[in-house]
Amino acid sequence: MTNKTFTMIKPDAVANGHTGNIINDIIAAGFKIEAMKYLQLTQAQAEAFYAVHSERPFFRDLVNFMISGPIVAAILEGENAVENFRNLIGATNPANAAEGTIRKKYAVSIDANAIHGSDSDENAAIEGNFFFSSFERF
Ligand code: CMP
């Protein structure tokens, strides 16, 4: 079944020059790009996006990191998209990420972990709608 997920290439990976390689890995894995934009989040936007983590001890560091530089946000379409994309990017903590995954290749730390992937179909829809309107999708 083809469905959708949402991703962000995070500020560390953009700043370290990995944007092109990461997009290449995503396309090579068979995902189609439905929408994509390059932007820098405001503090209010980052807090809203990660509101589900607002009570976690890492929330402040996460928000500060995510507003520290530009990101690339995208909606991706592919077979079993949420699960297959999470397999492509690897474990949240790059120290635990499998060989060949995007986080293993490009991430720096658990906050600077190169890339985000939605954890459910429901969150993929919420997160995609957070960044993109209907006329920005192809
Ligand atoms: P992400 O998939 O974008 O979702 C929340 C982010 O919080 C996660 O990636 C990590 O970059 C960051 N984070 C920092 N510390 C933790 C932690 N202990 N557990 C989960 N996520 C963490």
Side-chain angles (χ1 to χ4, degrees), residues 42-123:
T42 65
Q43 183 171 331
Q45 287 169 332
E47 287 174 352
F49 183 85
Y50 282 117
V52 61
H53 295 307
S54 62
E55 302 304 319
R56 307 282 291 274
F58 58 82
F59 180 67
R60 200 39 56 200
D61 284 347
L62 173 62
V63 167
N64 286 335
F65 171 67
M66 288 302 296
I67 66 175
S68 67
I71 63 162
V72 176
I75 297 172
L76 306 174
E77 189 179 301
E79 202 174 313
N80 195 19
V82 166
E83 187 182 345
N84 285 352
F85 191 71
R86 285 173 76 85
N87 289 335
L88 176 68
I89 68 179
T92 304
N93 186 342
N96 303 325
E99 212 56 55
T101 60
I102 288 174
R103 284 174 172 151
K104 179 71 176 185
K105 290 197 277 187
Y106 306 116
V108 176
S109 67
I110 192 164
D111 273 319
N113 67 351
I115 191 160
H116 167 82
S118 303
D119 64 5
S120 66
D121 287 350
E122 187 192 3
N123 283 337

Side-chain angles (χ1 to χ4, degrees), residues 5-51:
T5 192
F6 170 80
T7 188
M8 292 182 289
I9 302 174
K10 296 190 180 184
D12 61 302
V14 172
N16 291 333
H18 299 313
T19 303
N21 285 330
I22 291 174
I23 293 172
N24 204 47
D25 285 0
I26 291 169
I27 292 170
F31 291 92
K32 171 182 169 286
I33 295 169
E34 181 178 301
M36 179 171 273
K37 62 171 80 161
Y38 181 61
L39 71 145
Q40 186 158 357
L41 287 166
T42 65
Q43 183 171 331
Q45 287 169 332
E47 287 174 352
F49 183 85
Y50 282 117

